[in-house]
Amino acid sequence: MEKVMVKGTEAIGEAAIRAGCRHFFGYPITPQSELPEYMSKRLPEVGGVFLQTESEVATVNMLYGAACTGTRVMTSTSSPGFSLMMEGVSYMACAQLPAVFVNVVRGGPGLGDIQPAQGDYWQATKGGGHGDYKLIVLAPSTVQEAVDLTVLAFDLADKYRTPALILADGLLGQMMEPVEFPEFRDLETLPDHSSWALTGANGRKPHIVTSFDIDPYVLEKMNLELVEKYKEIEKNEVRWEEFKTEDAEIIITAFGTVGRIAKSVVEMARKDGLKIGLFRPITVWPFPYKPLEELAEKVEMFFDVEMNMGQMLEDVRLAVKDKKPIAFYSRMGGVVPTPNEIYEALKKEIGRRVK
Amino acid sequence: MPKNFVFIGLFGSGKTEIAINYALHLKKENEKVAIADVDIISPYFRTRDVIEQLEKKGIKVITPPGALKYADLPIVSGAVAGYLNNEEYKTVLDVGGEENGVVVVGYLKPHLSDAEISFVVNTRRPFTSTVDGIIKAYNQLSKIAKVKINYLINNTNLSNETTEEIILQGEEIVAKASEILEIPVKFTVVPEFLNDVKARFPIFRIERFMKMEL
């Protein structure tokens, strides 16, 4: 396939269509409105359905309904919009429904601003909605990776019958890069959901998809089923990238867009002879605790960089424990750190410790 | 030579880069040049993000006032019409993409009697990769802009992966669209890092402004 120039938001939309998604429900919010805009043009071309909903609450419930039929369905939104969807996300997790959500994160909390941020990490990985549930959360750092992870998100959602989330940020959503799209998935080859999906009970017993049981012992069984599933996901689906960690003495930890900026920092530092490497979680849930812990045995220090008040930092601490010191640098409010400023901050940390 | 220059196109076709570079090009021959950022839909990567760079080069930049420049609100400063009418200035309009962005051109039409309107096409973008796609986009935008489009611009590129071959493939498609629409091609855009591109249309070399340190 020949390469094309696309924005992150458009790339996620096209990747979803190629993955076999034919249903998109969504409500516009900056900085991701190009995604529904793209889907509104593209889905009719492939016999799909685009619907602009009246609100995010309506959106998530339409996803619930569509997912009940076993079809591939997606929505995208940005921070405050995702907060509005939380109740439905929790319902879908309990009802074990596959669907893909996209959160193109912007500055927060509250109405915040429309610039890029990473303040929704906790919401994405630690719940966000009520009750005991997890989302599979994928954090791309380039437009090409956004394409690849969108396809993966659909496959994982189907495999585990669970909602998956693409955790992007405004910068990734808005930047344009050359990408290559995968071939169109043959819809006939998509996973078979006929054992549970609501497809019309003609000649068979009705299927029931629900997030409810009045009997606590039955609900507890449902809880335990989810727990088992999450253990499976933790066992099989942890993904991360290591960059120049083999001989590294200091490891930068960062996800998403910052992971990409940190790569430049590693290159800058290496030119100066500093042995710096990068550890970038790709699945922020399940978080790659074990490989990070293993690195903690080898290196001297960690430097976590995020566009929030230190959210992934807690997972980095859980992995590193008290084995090695962890320094932290952040920008918030929609301010994107430059490679230079991160490098300067890193050098200060190194200097502080050498004394 | 027209007094004002307007660049329209779909999302991400390269209007802003071309508008900025065209303003710099005009500055070589003209003492007073202004560029008005009337992009009412893009949240990032806008002319207003490089105000300092342009003002250093003597270009007057018109944007929504104060902190409002960080918003994606439909604000068109009153100063825009002023610069479009001010005979001392050559003025470039950087318009937002798609139908919703080009609405501004319709709104400013009373001030665009002496303006050249160009339609920017990157054939490596979705929806304008074919002759049919370009014609469809042209029809959509000219209906909303309510002005006659004077030129097409071939801005076929893959950012820093652009090659001569990619540019010439784009020319091929844009040339066919130009024949059918009976609108000439103003130029083919060539990035500063490529030399000796054998284009059939005049070459316009650009430097990239919409980039981030990553």
Side-chain angles (χ1 to χ4, degrees), chain A residues 33-300:
Chain A
S33 295
E34 294 86 348
L35 213 166
E37 176 94 17
Y38 185 83
M39 293 308 241
S40 71
K41 278 190 182 173
R42 254 321 250 138
L43 276 169
E45 292 180 358
V46 294
V49 174
F50 168 87
L51 190 68
Q52 180 169 323
T53 59
E54 68 269 35
S55 73
E56 286 84 353
V57 176
T59 302
V60 70
N61 285 291
M62 287 184 196
L63 252 73
Y64 191 130
C68 280
T69 70
T71 190
R72 290 197 158 179
V73 58
M74 180 165 96
T75 189
S76 69
T77 185
S78 179
S79 306
F82 196 49
S83 292
L84 281 168
M85 293 181 188
M86 281 298 111
E87 182 199 36
V89 170
S90 166
Y91 276 48
M92 290 177 74
C94 187
Q96 305 212 42
L97 290 172
V100 174
F101 291 82
V102 181
N103 181 1
V104 181
V105 181
R106 66 187 222 181
L111 189 54
D113 63 16
I114 60 172
Q115 313 305 324
Q118 297 184 317
D120 300 357
Y121 179 92
W122 282 332
Q123 181 192 49
T125 60
K126 311 290 175 193
H130 59 283
D132 284 307
Y133 80 93
K134 284 286 184 185
L135 297 177
I136 295 174
V137 188
L138 305 167
S141 70
T142 66
V143 178
Q144 183 66 56
E145 195 181 24
V147 169
D148 303 340
L149 293 185
T150 300
V151 176
L152 179 68
F154 278 101
D155 289 341
L156 293 180
D158 270 339
K159 183 175 174 191
Y160 295 99
R161 280 188 63 188
T162 196
L165 169 67
I166 302 287
L167 185 66
D169 64 63
L171 191 55
L172 189 68
Q174 292 295 322
M175 69 165 63
M176 283 182 41
E177 286 186 296
V179 304
E180 208 168 326
F181 285 109
E183 291 301 320
F184 285 87
R185 195 74 66 86
D186 178 357
L187 298 186
E188 300 298 316
T189 66
L190 293 180
D192 177 19
H193 293 312
S194 61
S195 64
W196 60 267
L198 308 187
T199 53
N202 206 355
R204 63 158 168 82
K205 274 192 178 170
H207 292 155
I208 296 170
V209 174
T210 181
S211 73
F212 166 80
D213 204 289
I214 194 77
D215 181 340
Y217 295 97
V218 178
L219 182 59
E220 188 182 43
K221 253 192 188 162
M222 288 161 67
N223 289 141
L224 289 170
E225 215 177 288
L226 291 181
V227 170
E228 275 312 302
K229 177 163 81 177
Y230 298 145
K231 275 187 193 157
E232 272 301 294
I233 297 172
E234 281 174 329
K235 202 172 77 190
N236 303 331
E237 307 300 343
V238 174
R239 287 168 170 81
W240 73 95
E241 183 196 3
E242 289 185 32
F243 180 65
K244 305 204 172 175
T245 54
E246 301 79 16
D247 63 339
E249 290 165 359
I250 296 169
I251 297 285
I252 302 179
T253 50
F255 74 97
T257 297
V258 182
R260 172 200 195 125
I261 300 170
K263 223 175 218 181
S264 309
V265 179
V266 170
E267 302 279 20
M268 290 163 87
R270 289 268 165 182
K271 266 185 208 149
D272 291 348
L274 293 171
K275 289 186 176 166
I276 312 285
L278 168 69
F279 184 88
R280 179 176 71 87
I282 295 170
T283 50
V284 283
W285 193 85
F287 187 85
Y289 291 110
K290 209 176 253 169
L292 191 54
E293 185 178 3
E294 281 163 17
L295 276 177
E297 305 288 346
K298 303 196 306 193
V299 306
E300 285 163 21

Side-chain angles (χ1 to χ4, degrees), chain A residues 2-7 10 30-31 34 37-38 41-42 45 114-116 170-171 174-176 178 257 260-261 264 336 338-340, chain B residues 10-12 41-46 70-72 98-100 122 124-127 136 140 157-161 169 208 212-214:
Chain A
E2 81 175 5
K3 277 195 174 180
V4 287
M5 270 288 273
V6 285
K7 279 193 182 190
E10 301 166 332
T30 307
E34 294 86 348
E37 176 94 17
Y38 185 83
K41 278 190 182 173
R42 254 321 250 138
E45 292 180 358
I114 60 172
Q115 313 305 324
L171 191 55
Q174 292 295 322
M175 69 165 63
M176 283 182 41
T257 297
R260 172 200 195 125
I261 300 170
S264 309
V336 181
T338 64
N340 250 324
Chain B
L10 297 187
F11 279 147
I41 52 171
S42 307
Y44 321 153
F45 301 120
R46 300 175 291 193
Y70 298 111
D72 57 346
E98 235 82 354
E99 293 96 318
N100 294 333
N122 178 354
R124 289 298 184 115
R125 287 277 299 150
F127 307 116
K136 195 174 159 198
Q140 280 169 343
N157 78 89
L158 275 184
S159 183
N160 49 8
E161 294 178 27
Q169 280 169 356
R208 233 178 126 201
M212 287 200 74
E213 277 184 80
L214 288 172

